[in-house]
Amino acid sequence: MRRRWLFADQLGPHFLDEPGQPVLLVESKAVFRRRVFHRQKAHLVLSAMRHLARDGGDVRLVRAETYAEAVTEPVTVCHPTSRAARDLVKRLPGVEMLPPRGFVTAPQDFVAWAHGRDHLRLEDFYRDARRRHDVLMDGAEPAGGRWNYDADNREPPPARLDVAAPPPIAEDEIDEEVRADLDRWEREDGITFLGNDGPRLFPATRAEALARLRHFVKHRLPIFGPYEDAMLAGNPFMAHSMLSATMNLGLLDPAEVIERSEAAYRKDGVDLRSVEGFIRQILGWRDFIWHLYWYFEPSYRAANELHARRELPAWFANLDAGAVEARCLSDVLAGVRDHGWVHHIPRLMVLGNYALQRGWRPGALADWFHRAFVDGYEWVMTANVVGMSQFADGGRMSTKPYAAGGAYISRMSDYCGGCRYNPKVRLGDDACPYTAGYWSFLARHSTELAGNHRMRRPLQGLGRLADVDAVVEQETARGSRAP
Ligand code: SF4
């Protein structure tokens, strides 16, 4: 049997044809010279590869500057997750590329579904995938009689959420060695990282991944749904699975994550609203984003329909939470700095929303998300950031820009009470940067957004504001300064 070359995001058993298949892993320091990644992401990826090399049987780990140097024998490889890696694989002699793994739905099924549609909407794709893969279905009907429990899953945060924390990871000598190597690379090779080092928070082995999955399904999934969109300053993880980094490393097969979650509903009576909300994130959103990366043209990443041209300011790009007074933004930046992870709402409604309001370049923001998050990869961040978060594709995959003022953050978090700004104020010293930024964004883009029926009411609201020019002036004067 030919050796299977596994990329660093293909580390689980579902990337092999059978247990014990010989494996090739390539560890390239050059990757870290090309881009500044979060320190904990670099640690996680190297730790996961080295653990597999130690424990995975016939595994050859080659340290090389380039992949071409390391791949010296005929190998097979599953379709990689970026265009650059796919093109490289095609160029290398003796490498046979197999169809992608690590996703539930097949590329040809997505293409057949998408063909002829003007707009690609998650909800349509998700229902098709549920039917096709018989997930949460009772015959031809969705379990419980509804496809979507989103409306039940938008509760504001409780005063406190008592939920079992994910079990801690016991670091070992491989983590010690990785940490020493990263320190040395910084000292001697001029390689730099983003964010703070810290105890490894995410699984690097299959055993750790399965333990986290079991723990989540038993303890956290039952209350995931209602509060999945809420934010609590003192509890960044809430009931989120924190399994995205694990699935994106390939340590868990999303199909097994879905299967266990559905079993929790069917056998253990876990609330369908939570189970459906969670499965939607994986079978729906994760697969949808993956297919969009390949379906849209390569230039999609540079799409910029709202002509957002400002570069990311250094305080944001370098995770300088201490430079920020706005409590929500400071707390979320600190979360990224300390863990390389915050959940989807801080990403979308605090980080992405702030960038959208200020007209930061979508491609640069996508690259930052890719580098700063432990679960960030080019395929994940392209449509998520360029399309959904920044509306830079003009609405090819979402129906409206995710712009919101302080009222949204105030309703969905406990941040505003302790903030020096006031979410209700848009002008003056106490003006909430999100509220002011929201109206300024609408004013600057009212012409482009006028034809969007979902923006009609916000634009009507804008028309009633007497002080909008002063708000735009104030926000223009704020420029790139940290709020
Ligand atoms: Fe964030 Fe504005 Fe609330 Fe402060 S007042 S926490 S800046 S939304």
Side-chain angles (χ1 to χ4, degrees):
M1 176 174 286
R2 274 217 251 170
R3 195 169 281 276
R4 173 67 41 84
W5 172 17
L6 298 179
F7 277 91
D9 55 359
Q10 300 178 329
L11 301 181
H14 53 292
F15 290 94
L16 301 179
D17 292 341
E18 60 183 57
Q21 180 174 7
V23 162
L24 170 69
L25 293 172
V26 183
E27 188 183 294
S28 166
K29 205 195 295 182
V31 170
F32 300 105
R33 277 202 201 95
R34 285 197 291 270
R35 276 194 156 116
V36 178
F37 285 101
H38 198 293
R39 163 84 189 215
Q40 292 185 43
K41 179 178 192 169
H43 184 128
L44 178 64
V45 172
L46 293 174
S47 177
M49 291 176 78
R50 294 180 188 184
H51 275 96
L52 184 63
R54 186 189 67 182
D55 304 331
D58 181 0
V59 180
R60 182 179 304 156
L61 174 71
V62 178
R63 296 197 167 104
E65 276 296 303
T66 67
Y67 290 116
E69 271 172 44
V71 183
T72 54
E73 64 178 310
V75 290
T76 56
V77 64
C78 297
H79 192 295
T81 59
S82 75
R83 283 197 170 84
R86 182 200 56 185
D87 295 347
L88 168 82
V89 161
K90 283 184 176 170
R91 282 199 308 273
L92 290 179
V95 178
E96 181 191 348
M97 186 165 64
L98 307 171
R101 300 187 190 180
F103 298 89
V104 183
T105 53
Q108 60 274 21
D109 292 342
F110 181 85
V111 170
W113 169 83
H115 184 71
R117 290 172 191 256
D118 283 343
H119 297 284
L120 303 177
R121 300 288 181 241
L122 167 71
E123 187 64 28
D124 304 331
F125 166 76
Y126 170 64
R127 290 182 189 191
D128 188 69
R130 292 252 308 258
R131 285 194 199 95
R132 199 184 285 274
H133 294 274
D134 195 25
V135 172
L136 284 181
M137 296 298 293
D138 290 335
E141 297 302 316
R146 279 164 61 188
W147 291 102
N148 182 326
Y149 290 84
D150 262 4
D152 299 329
N153 284 349
R154 293 199 184 111
E155 294 286 319
R160 48 181 285 191
L161 186 65
D162 288 320
V163 58
I169 302 268
E171 289 196 5
D172 62 10
E173 65 283 359
I174 289 183
D175 292 295
E176 244 173 70
E177 176 198 280
V178 168
R179 189 163 279 118
D181 282 353
L182 294 178
D183 286 343
R184 191 162 40 76
W185 294 0
E186 283 191 289
R187 237 181 10 251
E188 296 172 8
D189 293 310
I191 291 174
T192 53
F193 296 103
L194 261 181
N196 291 344
D197 190 15
R200 179 161 60 78
L201 186 58
F202 296 90
T205 68
R206 174 78 177 155
E208 289 171 353
L210 287 171
R212 278 287 177 88
L213 173 59
R214 275 194 301 273
H215 185 273
F216 168 69
V217 170
K218 185 161 178 208
H219 299 286
R220 301 161 73 79
L221 177 61
I223 50 166
F224 165 76
Y227 303 118
E228 67 170 303
D229 283 1
M231 299 176 276
L232 278 172
N235 185 353
F237 309 136
M238 299 184 70
H240 287 269
S241 75
M242 302 170 71
L243 293 174
S244 52
T246 314
M247 281 186 279
N248 293 356
L249 275 177
L251 289 172
L252 286 176
D253 184 342
E256 71 187 324
V257 177
I258 291 169
E259 205 175 289
R260 292 215 189 184
S261 304
E262 177 160 3
Y265 159 66
R266 302 242 180 234
K267 295 199 188 116
D268 305 326
V270 169
D271 191 333
L272 179 58
R273 292 171 300 180
S274 282
V275 172
E276 190 281 316
F278 182 63
I279 287 179
R280 166 186 299 271
Q281 301 271 356
I282 301 171
L283 176 64
W285 195 249
R286 184 174 184 274
D287 264 47
F288 186 56
I289 289 292
W290 157 253
H291 290 303
L292 290 180
Y293 174 73
W294 297 104
Y295 187 76
F296 287 150
E297 60 288 350
S299 60
Y300 179 88
R301 196 173 170 83
N304 198 351
E305 291 283 316
L306 295 178
H307 311 291
R309 306 217 191 281
R310 291 191 180 150
E311 292 304 325
L312 272 55
W315 57 266
F316 184 97
N318 298 330
L319 304 169
D320 187 0
V324 178
E325 288 184 276
R327 190 174 177 222
C328 55
L329 183 54
S330 177
D331 187 71
V332 171
L333 278 179
V336 183
R337 179 195 65 200
D338 296 342
H339 307 300
W341 187 94
V342 292
H343 74 73
H344 64 275
I345 294 300
R347 295 186 201 203
L348 184 64
M349 303 310 293
V350 177
L351 299 172
N353 185 20
Y354 195 85
L356 172 69
Q357 292 178 354
R358 268 124 205 114
W360 296 351
R361 202 160 55 77
L365 189 69
D367 182 65
W368 179 82
F369 269 100
H370 171 177
R371 295 182 291 103
F373 281 79
V374 287
D375 54 14
Y377 293 86
E378 188 174 300
W379 70 266
V380 184
M381 293 308 180
T382 299
N384 256 321
V385 176
V386 172
M388 187 193 194
S389 165
Q390 300 301 294
F391 206 64
D393 65 357
R396 287 170 75 186
M397 55 148 321
S398 54
T399 53
K400 71 174 187 66
Y402 277 85
Y408 173 89
I409 294 172
S410 176
R411 185 169 67 253
M412 295 307 293
S413 79
D414 61 353
Y415 283 128
C416 298
C419 183
R420 84 166 231 31
Y421 299 113
N422 182 339
K424 295 197 174 110
V425 176
R426 60 178 173 271
L427 202 54
D429 277 355
D430 294 344
C432 164
Y434 284 89
T435 304
Y438 174 70
W439 293 116
S440 175
F441 169 80
L442 285 188
R444 294 195 326 271
H445 296 292
S446 57
T447 311
E448 289 124 306
L449 299 175
N452 184 322
H453 76 277
R454 292 196 68 192
M455 297 307 291
R456 194 176 307 141
R457 284 181 62 182
L459 290 174
Q460 282 167 354
L462 178 74
R464 288 193 290 272
L465 295 190
D467 56 5
V468 67
D469 288 345
V471 174
V472 173
E473 204 175 305
Q474 166 188 276
E475 290 312 293
T476 306
R478 187 200 298 275
S480 296
R481 268 185 297 122

